[in-house]
Amino acid sequence: MTEIPLTEFMNQRTADTVLVDVREQDEYEEAHIPGVVHIPLGQLSARTAEIPQPSGDDPIYVVCRSGKRSLQGAQVLSQAGLPAVSVMEGTLGWIEAGGEVRTGSQR
């Protein structure tokens, strides 16, 4: 499991990048990164089958609000046997950097 700086993630992200948001529903609806797979941390181990497999050697990225839960989520995914997992700085950093966000339940 590795951590990726926000600017590096923003520059490398493609339409095929798999990003899992492990925040609670109300946090997700408040603001989230477009295209994320939303699975709250407490449900993650039971719902790993819902996570698309990344293309090639790309990792699955995990994000939360500020970084603590994403580390826990990455550990859950690694223990579940998913391929390379990386942690991205939180959604707050994404917003501060001017990244696009969506609200509500739209993906």
Side-chain angles (χ1 to χ4, degrees):
M1 167 179 28
T2 60
E3 291 187 56
I4 184 170
L6 179 60
T7 53
E8 186 177 331
F9 177 81
M10 291 177 104
N11 290 331
Q12 292 180 0
R13 186 175 187 219
T14 68
D16 296 330
T17 299
V18 178
L19 178 61
V20 180
D21 186 329
V22 296
R23 297 175 302 146
E24 295 299 320
Q25 185 69 33
D26 60 329
E27 296 172 288
Y28 173 81
E29 289 180 2
E30 187 177 302
H32 59 272
I33 300 167
V36 298
V37 176
H38 177 238
I39 303 175
L41 182 60
Q43 300 172 20
L44 192 57
S45 62
R47 296 177 57 191
T48 58
E50 296 175 35
I51 300 171
Q53 293 301 306
S55 58
D57 293 333
D58 292 342
I60 294 171
Y61 295 94
V62 183
V63 66
C64 65
R65 181 172 185 208
S66 62
K68 184 177 179 183
R69 285 176 286 177
S70 55
L71 287 171
Q72 294 172 327
Q75 290 172 337
V76 168
L77 297 181
S78 291
Q79 290 170 351
L82 274 79
V85 177
S86 189
V87 174
M88 191 204 78
E89 241 177 271
T91 304
L92 291 178
W94 176 271
I95 293 168
E96 289 173 10
E100 179 186 357
V101 293
R102 297 228 168 105
T103 58
S105 59
Q106 67 174 327
R107 209 164 154 219

PDB file of all heavy atoms in Angstrom, residues 27-42:
ATOM      1  N   GLU A  27     -21.544  12.499   4.192  1.00  0.00           N
ATOM      2  CA  GLU A  27     -20.312  13.162   3.750  1.00  0.00           C
ATOM      3  C   GLU A  27     -20.184  13.085   2.232  1.00  0.00           C
ATOM      4  O   GLU A  27     -19.808  14.050   1.574  1.00  0.00           O
ATOM      5  CB  GLU A  27     -19.087  12.496   4.374  1.00  0.00           C
ATOM      6  CG  GLU A  27     -19.006  12.611   5.869  1.00  0.00           C
ATOM      7  CD  GLU A  27     -17.879  11.779   6.408  1.00  0.00           C
ATOM      8  OE1 GLU A  27     -17.996  10.537   6.407  1.00  0.00           O
ATOM      9  OE2 GLU A  27     -16.862  12.376   6.818  1.00  0.00           O
ATOM     10  N   TYR A  28     -20.496  11.904   1.685  1.00  0.00           N
ATOM     11  CA  TYR A  28     -20.444  11.691   0.243  1.00  0.00           C
ATOM     12  C   TYR A  28     -21.394  12.636  -0.479  1.00  0.00           C
ATOM     13  O   TYR A  28     -21.033  13.264  -1.475  1.00  0.00           O
ATOM     14  CB  TYR A  28     -20.796  10.226  -0.062  1.00  0.00           C
ATOM     15  CG  TYR A  28     -20.930   9.906  -1.526  1.00  0.00           C
ATOM     16  CD1 TYR A  28     -19.808   9.658  -2.308  1.00  0.00           C
ATOM     17  CD2 TYR A  28     -22.176   9.833  -2.125  1.00  0.00           C
ATOM     18  CE1 TYR A  28     -19.929   9.351  -3.656  1.00  0.00           C
ATOM     19  CE2 TYR A  28     -22.308   9.523  -3.470  1.00  0.00           C
ATOM     20  CZ  TYR A  28     -21.181   9.285  -4.228  1.00  0.00           C
ATOM     21  OH  TYR A  28     -21.312   8.986  -5.565  1.00  0.00           O
ATOM     22  N   GLU A  29     -22.615  12.755   0.014  1.00  0.00           N
ATOM     23  CA  GLU A  29     -23.610  13.604  -0.635  1.00  0.00           C
ATOM     24  C   GLU A  29     -23.262  15.081  -0.534  1.00  0.00           C
ATOM     25  O   GLU A  29     -23.629  15.865  -1.404  1.00  0.00           O
ATOM     26  CB  GLU A  29     -24.993  13.336  -0.052  1.00  0.00           C
ATOM     27  CG  GLU A  29     -25.522  11.979  -0.465  1.00  0.00           C
ATOM     28  CD  GLU A  29     -26.894  11.658   0.083  1.00  0.00           C
ATOM     29  OE1 GLU A  29     -27.499  12.498   0.780  1.00  0.00           O
ATOM     30  OE2 GLU A  29     -27.373  10.545  -0.194  1.00  0.00           O
ATOM     31  N   GLU A  30     -22.535  15.463   0.508  1.00  0.00           N
ATOM     32  CA  GLU A  30     -22.126  16.858   0.681  1.00  0.00           C
ATOM     33  C   GLU A  30     -21.197  17.300  -0.450  1.00  0.00           C
ATOM     34  O   GLU A  30     -21.361  18.377  -1.011  1.00  0.00           O
ATOM     35  CB  GLU A  30     -21.431  17.016   2.026  1.00  0.00           C
ATOM     36  CG  GLU A  30     -21.114  18.432   2.397  1.00  0.00           C
ATOM     37  CD  GLU A  30     -20.493  18.504   3.776  1.00  0.00           C
ATOM     38  OE1 GLU A  30     -21.139  18.043   4.743  1.00  0.00           O
ATOM     39  OE2 GLU A  30     -19.358  19.011   3.882  1.00  0.00           O
ATOM     40  N   ALA A  31     -20.236  16.465  -0.792  1.00  0.00           N
ATOM     41  CA  ALA A  31     -19.308  16.739  -1.905  1.00  0.00           C
ATOM     42  C   ALA A  31     -18.436  15.520  -2.117  1.00  0.00           C
ATOM     43  O   ALA A  31     -17.878  14.975  -1.170  1.00  0.00           O
ATOM     44  CB  ALA A  31     -18.436  17.950  -1.607  1.00  0.00           C
ATOM     45  N   HIS A  32     -18.337  15.085  -3.378  1.00  0.00           N
ATOM     46  CA  HIS A  32     -17.474  13.943  -3.701  1.00  0.00           C
ATOM     47  C   HIS A  32     -16.846  14.124  -5.081  1.00  0.00           C
ATOM     48  O   HIS A  32     -17.301  14.915  -5.896  1.00  0.00           O
ATOM     49  CB  HIS A  32     -18.244  12.622  -3.621  1.00  0.00           C
ATOM     50  CG  HIS A  32     -19.427  12.564  -4.539  1.00  0.00           C
ATOM     51  ND1 HIS A  32     -20.675  13.013  -4.152  1.00  0.00           N
ATOM     52  CD2 HIS A  32     -19.559  12.136  -5.812  1.00  0.00           C
ATOM     53  CE1 HIS A  32     -21.520  12.843  -5.155  1.00  0.00           C
ATOM     54  NE2 HIS A  32     -20.862  12.321  -6.182  1.00  0.00           N
ATOM     55  N   ILE A  33     -15.789  13.376  -5.286  1.00  0.00           N
ATOM     56  CA  ILE A  33     -15.066  13.412  -6.554  1.00  0.00           C
ATOM     57  C   ILE A  33     -15.885  12.646  -7.592  1.00  0.00           C
ATOM     58  O   ILE A  33     -16.329  11.525  -7.318  1.00  0.00           O
ATOM     59  CB  ILE A  33     -13.662  12.790  -6.379  1.00  0.00           C
ATOM     60  CG1 ILE A  33     -12.878  13.586  -5.330  1.00  0.00           C
ATOM     61  CG2 ILE A  33     -12.919  12.736  -7.708  1.00  0.00           C
ATOM     62  CD1 ILE A  33     -11.608  12.901  -4.849  1.00  0.00           C
ATOM     63  N   PRO A  34     -16.110  13.213  -8.766  1.00  0.00           N
ATOM     64  CA  PRO A  34     -16.894  12.517  -9.788  1.00  0.00           C
ATOM     65  C   PRO A  34     -16.284  11.156 -10.145  1.00  0.00           C
ATOM     66  O   PRO A  34     -15.066  11.011 -10.245  1.00  0.00           O
ATOM     67  CB  PRO A  34     -16.823  13.461 -10.994  1.00  0.00           C
ATOM     68  CG  PRO A  34     -16.538  14.799 -10.413  1.00  0.00           C
ATOM     69  CD  PRO A  34     -15.676  14.540  -9.207  1.00  0.00           C
ATOM     70  N   GLY A  35     -17.158  10.175 -10.308  1.00  0.00           N
ATOM     71  CA  GLY A  35     -16.728   8.858 -10.761  1.00  0.00           C
ATOM     72  C   GLY A  35     -16.265   7.908  -9.673  1.00  0.00           C
ATOM     73  O   GLY A  35     -15.902   6.770  -9.966  1.00  0.00           O
ATOM     74  N   VAL A  36     -16.298   8.335  -8.412  1.00  0.00           N
ATOM     75  CA  VAL A  36     -15.855   7.440  -7.345  1.00  0.00           C
ATOM     76  C   VAL A  36     -16.846   6.300  -7.145  1.00  0.00           C
ATOM     77  O   VAL A  36     -18.026   6.413  -7.471  1.00  0.00           O
ATOM     78  CB  VAL A  36     -15.656   8.166  -5.990  1.00  0.00           C
ATOM     79  CG1 VAL A  36     -14.589   9.222  -6.063  1.00  0.00           C
ATOM     80  CG2 VAL A  36     -16.954   8.709  -5.459  1.00  0.00           C
ATOM     81  N   VAL A  37     -16.340   5.213  -6.591  1.00  0.00           N
ATOM     82  CA  VAL A  37     -17.182   4.124  -6.117  1.00  0.00           C
ATOM     83  C   VAL A  37     -17.365   4.397  -4.633  1.00  0.00           C
ATOM     84  O   VAL A  37     -16.384   4.472  -3.894  1.00  0.00           O
ATOM     85  CB  VAL A  37     -16.495   2.752  -6.333  1.00  0.00           C
ATOM     86  CG1 VAL A  37     -17.328   1.642  -5.740  1.00  0.00           C
ATOM     87  CG2 VAL A  37     -16.210   2.521  -7.803  1.00  0.00           C
ATOM     88  N   HIS A  38     -18.590   4.589  -4.199  1.00  0.00           N
ATOM     89  CA  HIS A  38     -18.833   4.927  -2.799  1.00  0.00           C
ATOM     90  C   HIS A  38     -19.219   3.685  -2.000  1.00  0.00           C
ATOM     91  O   HIS A  38     -20.259   3.079  -2.246  1.00  0.00           O
ATOM     92  CB  HIS A  38     -19.939   5.978  -2.679  1.00  0.00           C
ATOM     93  CG  HIS A  38     -20.269   6.297  -1.266  1.00  0.00           C
ATOM     94  ND1 HIS A  38     -21.528   6.153  -0.757  1.00  0.00           N
ATOM     95  CD2 HIS A  38     -19.490   6.721  -0.234  1.00  0.00           C
ATOM     96  CE1 HIS A  38     -21.521   6.490   0.523  1.00  0.00           C
ATOM     97  NE2 HIS A  38     -20.290   6.838   0.855  1.00  0.00           N
ATOM     98  N   ILE A  39     -18.360   3.320  -1.046  1.00  0.00           N
ATOM     99  CA  ILE A  39     -18.648   2.232  -0.119  1.00  0.00           C
ATOM    100  C   ILE A  39     -18.138   2.680   1.250  1.00  0.00           C
ATOM    101  O   ILE A  39     -16.919   2.792   1.446  1.00  0.00           O
ATOM    102  CB  ILE A  39     -17.955   0.913  -0.532  1.00  0.00           C
ATOM    103  CG1 ILE A  39     -18.349   0.504  -1.946  1.00  0.00           C
ATOM    104  CG2 ILE A  39     -18.306  -0.188   0.481  1.00  0.00           C
ATOM    105  CD1 ILE A  39     -17.616  -0.729  -2.477  1.00  0.00           C
ATOM    106  N   PRO A  40     -19.037   2.960   2.201  1.00  0.00           N
ATOM    107  CA  PRO A  40     -18.577   3.381   3.524  1.00  0.00           C
ATOM    108  C   PRO A  40     -17.626   2.365   4.154  1.00  0.00           C
ATOM    109  O   PRO A  40     -17.766   1.155   3.942  1.00  0.00           O
ATOM    110  CB  PRO A  40     -19.883   3.499   4.326  1.00  0.00           C
ATOM    111  CG  PRO A  40     -20.925   3.771   3.285  1.00  0.00           C
ATOM    112  CD  PRO A  40     -20.493   2.959   2.097  1.00  0.00           C
ATOM    113  N   LEU A  41     -16.672   2.862   4.903  1.00  0.00           N
ATOM    114  CA  LEU A  41     -15.640   2.018   5.497  1.00  0.00           C
ATOM    115  C   LEU A  41     -16.213   0.819   6.243  1.00  0.00           C
ATOM    116  O   LEU A  41     -15.717  -0.304   6.097  1.00  0.00           O
ATOM    117  CB  LEU A  41     -14.748   2.852   6.430  1.00  0.00           C
ATOM    118  CG  LEU A  41     -13.598   2.116   7.100  1.00  0.00           C
ATOM    119  CD1 LEU A  41     -12.639   1.539   6.070  1.00  0.00           C
ATOM    120  CD2 LEU A  41     -12.866   3.054   8.052  1.00  0.00           C
ATOM    121  N   GLY A  42     -17.262   1.017   7.013  1.00  0.00           N
ATOM    122  CA  GLY A  42     -17.853  -0.071   7.783  1.00  0.00           C
ATOM    123  C   GLY A  42     -18.451  -1.181   6.937  1.00  0.00           C
ATOM    124  O   GLY A  42     -18.676  -2.286   7.424  1.00  0.00           O
TER     125      GLY A  42
END
